[in-house]
Amino acid sequence: MAQEADHILIGRVTGVDMIDGNGKPVEDREARTGPGRENIIRILITVDEVLVTNASDVPSVIRVPLASHLHYSLGQISEVYEGDTLVRLVLLQGEDLTGIKPGVFLRSLSDKDEALRIYDATH
């Protein structure tokens, strides 16, 4: 993932939200994503440190969308991250700061040195 990363950050998950196809917030914890649905679940990440980026500005809180073709409910994903305080390595790509692989963009902070080594060797 470090080979494909445009941004390597250190951050914490601080929430989960959902928007509909028009960008309006969805509050119903039973609301789902998946084929034929336009809802998008986003993981809210508070950025503690920017290690690498090609962006002119990285917001202090970013909203990373999960793959909308996967079948999840807002409540299901919210429960996964509820009370989660782990500081993690965050690997993202593109101008819109998206996950490199659907739902796979958070790594253990212990992977930091290896991720930076791989990034430096491939960029």
Side-chain angles (χ1 to χ4, degrees):
M1 288 189 338
Q3 291 176 349
E4 299 174 42
D6 296 316
H7 321 278
I8 302 177
L9 317 169
I10 295 175
R12 298 166 277 116
V13 174
T14 52
V16 174
D17 73 5
M18 177 184 272
I19 56 173
D20 66 16
N22 295 317
K24 293 182 181 178
V26 175
E27 302 293 331
D28 179 4
R29 292 178 60 84
E30 299 302 315
R32 303 189 65 80
T33 60
R37 295 181 171 103
E38 295 184 5
N39 295 332
I40 298 171
I41 295 175
R42 304 179 300 182
I43 307 300
L44 284 61
I45 298 173
T46 297
V47 177
D48 294 326
E49 184 177 351
V50 176
L51 301 174
V52 172
T53 188
N54 64 10
S56 59
D57 182 45
V58 175
S60 60
V61 176
I62 55 178
R63 288 170 163 74
V64 181
L66 296 181
S68 60
H69 70 277
L70 300 174
H71 295 276
Y72 291 119
S73 72
L74 174 59
Q76 181 182 17
I77 299 301
S78 294
E79 287 176 16
V80 168
Y81 292 105
E82 199 168 283
D84 187 341
T85 60
L86 286 176
V87 176
R88 293 184 173 95
L89 197 61
V90 184
L91 295 106
L92 304 171
Q93 64 185 9
E95 292 178 24
D96 53 352
L97 300 160
T98 59
I100 292 175
K101 296 180 181 179
V104 183
F105 52 88
L106 299 172
R107 304 290 303 169
S108 169
L109 196 53
S110 65
D111 292 340
K112 173 183 161 187
D113 291 340
E114 182 68 4
L116 291 173
R117 185 192 67 72
I118 292 169
Y119 179 89
D120 288 339
T122 58
H123 288 81

